[in-house]
Amino acid sequence: MPYITNTVGSILLAGSLAACSREAGPNPAPVAAPTPSQQLVDATVLDANIMPEAARTPVPDPMATSTPTPEELLYSDLERKFFSALNQDRTADGLSPLKLDPTLSQLAEVRSLQLLNAGRISHFDNNGNLVLRLILSQNSISFATAGENLAQNNFSLDDTVKVANIGLMNSPAHRANILNPNYDKVGVGVRGPNNNGEIVYAQLFLQTP
């Protein structure tokens, strides 16, 4: 059955990680609904000065070339639409469009796939660690502020991106990430659908130091 919109808030990492905050309460459980809908999660802010040291997690070479599979072409199309919708919202608000960063996009793709396989979306891992913090530290990514938006829905391929973007823009915390004037680059990742028709979306925002 399709489910009602469920928000998990967004993550904004500002300045130093000491300023990390979680805006939303427990993730609402999916609720049966007569029409498809979507899930979102909270927002957070990271502070760049208190990043813990961690081993670097290698990122696939963005220059490596191979023949894309039909599945990869689908992801590419959904990600292109998702990125375009984000920048349309920014320009409509008088802001500069964000640059699509290939490294952040690869990390966002990994992130969305992990969440799809986990069967739930959250900004925190099973040990209570803020995943965005881990992603940035493990990949030695410097930032002044950083943020993460997550969404999931089971709408058709024709509607899923529009639903995800509208849901994010209708949530104050997610909208604040999308329309943050300090960000200058973003990575987007989309994975799915799974056997339940669910598609997971991830946006990783960054303000370079």
Side-chain angles (χ1 to χ4, degrees):
M1 289 286 295
Y3 44 77
I4 293 290
T5 298
N6 176 25
T7 65
V8 199
S10 61
I11 293 293
L12 173 61
L13 307 178
S16 69
L17 290 182
C20 173
S21 64
R22 186 172 185 177
E23 293 199 3
N27 298 349
V31 180
T35 56
S37 196
Q38 94 160 341
Q39 301 179 18
L40 309 174
V41 283
D42 259 3
T44 310
V45 181
L46 278 187
D47 198 311
N49 302 320
I50 314 178
M51 291 294 296
E53 292 296 326
R56 179 179 175 84
T57 301
V59 176
D61 181 3
M63 302 305 294
T65 59
S66 60
T67 302
T69 65
E71 187 177 59
E72 290 170 336
L73 290 174
L74 170 62
Y75 296 151
S76 177
D77 182 56
L78 294 177
E79 288 167 351
R80 177 185 58 78
K81 293 177 180 177
F82 194 39
F83 173 63
S84 177
L86 182 157
N87 271 339
Q88 287 175 13
D89 291 329
R90 285 181 62 88
T91 55
D93 205 60
L95 299 172
S96 299
L98 296 180
K99 175 183 178 182
L100 186 65
D101 184 84
T103 297
L104 288 177
S105 288
Q106 289 174 355
L107 293 169
E109 289 168 356
V110 171
R111 182 86 169 101
S112 57
L113 179 60
Q114 290 172 338
L115 292 168
L116 185 72
N117 291 337
R120 69 183 187 94
I121 54 174
S122 174
H123 293 293
F124 298 85
D125 66 16
N126 291 334
N127 295 318
N129 298 309
L130 186 64
V131 176
L132 179 56
R133 176 185 297 175
L134 298 177
I135 289 173
L136 297 175
S137 64
Q138 290 174 354
N139 291 279
S140 302
I141 297 175
S142 300
F143 67 96
T145 59
E148 177 181 73
N149 282 351
L150 301 174
Q152 175 179 308
N153 69 58
N154 61 349
F155 276 71
S156 70
L157 293 178
D158 290 335
D159 297 327
T160 178
V161 173
K162 180 179 179 180
V163 169
N165 187 68
I166 290 176
L168 292 170
M169 285 295 290
N170 285 341
S171 165
H174 299 90
R175 181 185 180 91
N177 264 345
I178 292 172
L179 301 182
N180 188 325
N182 297 318
Y183 292 144
D184 49 29
K185 61 176 64 174
V186 68
V188 298
V190 180
R191 285 297 181 268
N194 61 12
N195 291 336
N196 296 320
E198 296 166 334
I199 298 175
V200 174
Y201 295 81
Q203 295 170 332
L204 303 182
F205 302 92
L206 199 78
Q207 177 190 3
T208 52

